[in-house]
Amino acid sequence: METLAEPETITAKSCSKRTCPTGMAGIRDALYVLNGKWKLPLLFALTDGPMRFKDIQRALGDITPKILSKELKELELNEFVVRNVYSTTPVTVTYGLTPYSESLDAVLFALKDWGISHRKRIVASRKADIT
Amino acid sequence: METLAEPETITAKSCSKRTCPTGMAGIRDALYVLNGKWKLPLLFALTDGPMRFKDIQRALGDITPKILSKELKELELNEFVVRNVYSTTPVTVTYGLTPYSESLDAVLFALKDWGISHRKRIVASRKADIT
DNA sequence: CGGAATCCCAAAAGATACTG
DNA sequence: CAGTATCTTTTGGGATTCCG
């Protein structure tokens, strides 16, 4: 996995129109790195502090070790996550967020808040259907 | 496609810990509705106003009509998009954003901004590699 | 133009088992 | 515990063709 798609040179410094190439490219770049079913939930789970492999697995519910391992590696590659190994017996490994990962906070929170309020809306409209 | 995953009843009203079940569920709910490669770019593209099918296709680059059609239907189902039909000959169809879709603005902007600055970071570090 | 229909493929994700 | 290895399934997405 690479860290980013080919860098289509972007010239504009800022964009008034929201669909300007830069804006669209921004969306796509972000999605390119945060793709898949697990990366955002994973990052969110780690915001409380480093966790061990098995604990992450439990926190995310039904992710298999294979997938989890792969996702963690990709997050490491993109410098969102650090892997720490402790020489206990048996060995202990934790995964924690990097300082750079904090740059994603706005995205994470916006997404979380929206998800929560969206669910409320859906639930409310379902009740209305019944009534 | 349904509009939301099964409504695991959430009790907590607010969360101090970021990884509390509600927060995690929020992320997953959001991702459930905004999944795939195209939904966010699509919503972003429409923020400048309604567009016709073919124009959307061009704006997104290489999306095929089949996929575009499917994605638009899902966005319609979730009340982010409205389909407008004009009885011209041949018929004209436009897709526009609903008021509810504005609730996604924070997500869209956060994602776009992050993507832009992330690219800058990558490009800068590549130059550093060369130097 | 605005799609639907059909066929096809690669990649993502899951199940299961196994190892140091 | 912290993963790896294999295998299988799913599904997202693309190519092409065709129709009103």
Side-chain angles (χ1 to χ4, degrees):
Chain A
M1 187 209 189
E2 305 167 35
T3 51
L4 207 62
E6 72 259 28
E8 327 139 12
T9 49
I10 296 171
T11 49
K13 283 293 177 187
S14 70
C15 280
S16 54
K17 291 198 73 173
R18 288 153 91 182
T19 59
C20 78
T22 305
M24 185 59 88
I27 298 272
R28 304 192 70 149
D29 285 346
L31 262 39
Y32 182 81
V33 173
L34 303 172
N35 64 27
K37 184 178 175 179
W38 297 109
K39 291 203 185 58
L40 272 328
L42 210 31
L43 289 172
F44 187 77
L46 292 178
T47 51
D48 270 337
M51 295 176 74
R52 303 176 59 171
F53 191 89
K54 195 74 179 183
D55 291 329
I56 300 176
Q57 208 182 332
R58 271 187 282 260
L60 293 209
D62 51 1
I63 191 172
T64 63
K66 173 191 163 189
I67 305 296
L68 180 53
S69 173
K70 195 200 71 180
E71 299 290 295
L72 284 171
K73 277 175 187 163
E74 293 182 16
L75 290 176
E76 229 189 311
L77 239 170
N78 286 305
E79 295 176 67
F80 299 136
V81 162
V82 268
R83 191 182 116 113
N84 315 297
V85 184
Y86 301 96
S87 326
T88 54
T89 46
V91 69
T92 302
V93 179
T94 69
Y95 293 87
L97 296 182
T98 65
Y100 181 57
S101 80
E102 288 175 24
S103 66
L104 273 171
D105 279 0
V107 173
L108 245 27
F109 288 151
L111 205 62
K112 180 206 61 167
D113 290 341
W114 185 85
I116 291 175
S117 70
H118 181 64
R119 173 176 288 277
K120 284 181 189 161
R121 184 174 192 259
I122 299 293
V123 171
S125 85
R126 280 184 187 162
K127 283 184 184 169
D129 279 352
I130 297 172
T131 319
Chain B
M1 189 211 188
E2 304 165 35
T3 50
L4 208 59
E6 73 260 27
E8 328 137 12
T9 48
I10 295 172
T11 49
K13 283 294 177 186
S14 71
C15 280
S16 54
K17 292 198 72 172
R18 287 152 92 181
T19 60
C20 78
T22 306
M24 184 59 86
I27 298 274
R28 304 193 68 150
D29 285 345
L31 261 38
Y32 182 82
V33 173
L34 303 172
N35 64 27
K37 183 177 174 178
W38 297 109
K39 291 203 183 60
L40 272 328
L42 210 31
L43 289 172
F44 188 77
L46 291 177
T47 50
D48 270 336
M51 296 175 73
R52 302 178 59 172
F53 191 88
K54 196 76 179 180
D55 291 329
I56 302 177
Q57 208 181 332
R58 271 186 282 261
L60 294 210
D62 51 2
I63 190 171
T64 63
K66 172 192 163 189
I67 304 295
L68 179 54
S69 174
K70 195 198 72 180
E71 300 289 296
L72 284 171
K73 276 177 189 163
E74 293 182 14
L75 291 176
E76 229 188 311
L77 240 170
N78 287 303
E79 294 175 68
F80 299 135
V81 161
V82 268
R83 192 180 116 115
N84 315 296
V85 183
Y86 302 96
S87 326
T88 53
T89 46
V91 69
T92 302
V93 180
T94 69
Y95 293 87
L97 296 182
T98 64
Y100 181 57
S101 79
E102 289 176 23
S103 66
L104 272 171
D105 278 0
V107 172
L108 246 27
F109 289 152
L111 205 63
K112 181 207 60 168
D113 290 340
W114 186 85
I116 292 175
S117 70
H118 181 65
R119 173 176 289 276
K120 284 180 190 163
R121 184 176 193 257
I122 299 295
V123 171
S125 84
R126 280 184 187 162
K127 283 183 184 169
D129 278 353
I130 297 171
T131 319

